[in-house]
Coordinates of all heavy atoms in Angstrom, one line a residue:
A92 N 98.9 -77.2 -13.6 CA 98.5 -77.2 -12.2 C 99.5 -76.5 -11.3 O 99.1 -75.8 -10.4 CB 98.3 -78.7 -11.7
P93 N 100.9 -76.7 -11.5 CA 101.8 -75.9 -10.6 C 101.6 -74.4 -10.8 O 101.7 -73.6 -9.9 CB 103.2 -76.3 -11.1 CG 102.9 -77.7 -11.6 CD 101.6 -77.7 -12.3
R94 N 101.3 -73.9 -12.1 CA 101.1 -72.5 -12.3 C 99.8 -72.0 -11.6 O 99.8 -71.0 -11.0 CB 101.0 -72.3 -13.8 CG 100.8 -70.8 -14.2 CD 100.5 -70.6 -15.7 NE 99.5 -71.4 -16.2 CZ 98.2 -71.1 -16.1 NH1 97.8 -70.0 -15.5 NH2 97.3 -71.9 -16.7
A95 N 98.8 -72.9 -11.6 CA 97.6 -72.5 -10.9 C 97.8 -72.4 -9.4 O 97.2 -71.5 -8.7 CB 96.5 -73.5 -11.2
A96 N 98.6 -73.3 -8.9 CA 98.9 -73.3 -7.4 C 99.7 -72.1 -7.1 O 99.5 -71.5 -6.0 CB 99.7 -74.6 -7.0
R97 N 100.7 -71.7 -7.9 CA 101.4 -70.4 -7.7 C 100.6 -69.2 -7.7 O 100.7 -68.3 -6.9 CB 102.6 -70.3 -8.6 CG 103.8 -71.2 -8.3 CD 105.0 -70.9 -9.1 NE 104.8 -71.0 -10.5 CZ 104.9 -72.2 -11.2 NH1 105.3 -73.3 -10.5 NH2 104.7 -72.3 -12.5
Q98 N 99.6 -69.2 -8.7 CA 98.7 -68.0 -8.7 C 97.8 -68.0 -7.5 O 97.6 -66.9 -6.9 CB 97.8 -68.1 -10.0 CG 98.6 -67.8 -11.3 CD 97.7 -68.0 -12.5 OE1 96.6 -68.6 -12.4 NE2 98.1 -67.4 -13.6
A99 N 97.3 -69.1 -7.0 CA 96.5 -69.1 -5.8 C 97.3 -68.7 -4.6 O 96.9 -68.0 -3.7 CB 95.9 -70.5 -5.6
M100 N 98.6 -69.1 -4.6 CA 99.5 -68.8 -3.5 C 99.7 -67.3 -3.4 O 99.5 -66.7 -2.3 CB 100.8 -69.5 -3.6 CG 101.8 -69.1 -2.5 SD 103.6 -69.4 -3.0 CE 103.8 -68.3 -4.3
W101 N 100.0 -66.6 -4.5 CA 100.2 -65.2 -4.5 C 98.9 -64.4 -4.2 O 98.9 -63.4 -3.5 CB 100.7 -64.7 -5.9 CG 102.2 -65.0 -6.0 CD1 102.8 -65.9 -6.8 CD2 103.2 -64.4 -5.2 NE1 104.2 -65.9 -6.5 CE2 104.4 -65.0 -5.6 CE3 103.2 -63.4 -4.2 CZ2 105.6 -64.6 -5.0 CZ3 104.4 -63.1 -3.6 CH2 105.6 -63.6 -4.0
F102 N 97.8 -64.9 -4.7 CA 96.5 -64.3 -4.4 C 96.2 -64.3 -2.9 O 95.8 -63.3 -2.4 CB 95.4 -65.1 -5.2 CG 94.0 -64.6 -5.1 CD1 93.6 -63.4 -5.7 CD2 93.1 -65.2 -4.2 CE1 92.3 -62.9 -5.6 CE2 91.8 -64.7 -4.1 CZ 91.4 -63.5 -4.8
L103 N 96.4 -65.5 -2.3 CA 96.1 -65.6 -0.9 C 97.2 -64.8 0.0 O 96.8 -64.2 1.0 CB 96.1 -67.1 -0.4 CG 94.9 -67.9 -1.0 CD1 95.1 -69.3 -0.6 CD2 93.6 -67.3 -0.4
T104 N 98.4 -64.8 -0.5 CA 99.4 -64.0 0.2 C 99.1 -62.5 0.2 O 99.2 -61.9 1.2 CB 100.8 -64.3 -0.4 OG1 101.1 -65.6 -0.3 CG2 101.9 -63.5 0.3
C105 N 98.8 -62.0 -1.0 CA 98.4 -60.6 -1.0 C 97.1 -60.3 -0.3 O 97.0 -59.3 0.4 CB 98.2 -60.2 -2.5 SG 99.7 -60.2 -3.4
G106 N 96.2 -61.2 -0.3 CA 95.0 -61.0 0.5 C 95.3 -61.0 2.0 O 94.7 -60.2 2.7
A107 N 96.2 -61.9 2.4 CA 96.5 -61.9 3.9 C 97.2 -60.6 4.3 O 96.9 -60.0 5.3 CB 97.5 -63.1 4.1
V108 N 98.1 -60.1 3.4 CA 98.8 -58.9 3.8 C 97.9 -57.7 3.8 O 97.9 -56.9 4.7 CB 100.0 -58.7 2.8 CG1 100.6 -57.3 3.0 CG2 101.1 -59.7 3.0
V109 N 97.1 -57.6 2.8 CA 96.2 -56.4 2.6 C 95.1 -56.4 3.7 O 94.9 -55.4 4.5 CB 95.6 -56.3 1.2 CG1 94.5 -55.3 1.2 CG2 96.6 -56.0 0.2
T110 N 94.4 -57.5 3.8 CA 93.3 -57.5 4.8 C 93.8 -57.7 6.2 O 93.3 -57.0 7.1 CB 92.3 -58.7 4.5 OG1 92.9 -59.9 4.5 CG2 91.6 -58.5 3.2
G111 N 94.7 -58.6 6.5 CA 95.2 -58.8 7.8 C 96.0 -57.6 8.3 O 95.8 -57.1 9.4
G112 N 96.8 -57.0 7.5 CA 97.6 -55.8 7.8 C 96.7 -54.6 8.0 O 96.9 -53.8 8.9
G113 N 95.7 -54.5 7.2 CA 94.8 -53.4 7.3 C 94.0 -53.4 8.6 O 93.8 -52.4 9.3
L114 N 93.5 -54.6 8.9 CA 92.7 -54.8 10.1 C 93.6 -54.6 11.4 O 93.2 -54.0 12.4 CB 92.1 -56.1 10.2 CG 90.9 -56.3 9.3 CD1 90.5 -57.8 9.1 CD2 89.7 -55.5 9.7
L115 N 94.9 -55.0 11.3 CA 95.8 -54.8 12.4 C 96.1 -53.3 12.6 O 96.2 -52.8 13.7 CB 97.1 -55.6 12.3 CG 97.0 -57.1 12.5 CD1 98.2 -57.8 12.2 CD2 96.6 -57.3 14.0
A116 N 96.2 -52.6 11.4 CA 96.4 -51.2 11.5 C 95.2 -50.4 12.1 O 95.4 -49.4 12.7 CB 96.7 -50.6 10.1
L117 N 94.0 -50.9 11.9 CA 92.8 -50.3 12.4 C 92.6 -50.8 13.9 O 91.6 -50.5 14.5 CB 91.6 -50.7 11.6 CG 91.6 -50.0 10.2 CD1 90.4 -50.6 9.4 CD2 91.5 -48.5 10.3

Side-chain angles (χ1 to χ4, degrees):
R94 181 184 54 81
R97 281 190 300 275
Q98 286 178 343
M100 176 200 64
W101 281 112
F102 182 77
L103 291 174
T104 301
C105 293
V108 170
V109 170
T110 59
L114 287 167
L115 286 173
L117 291 173

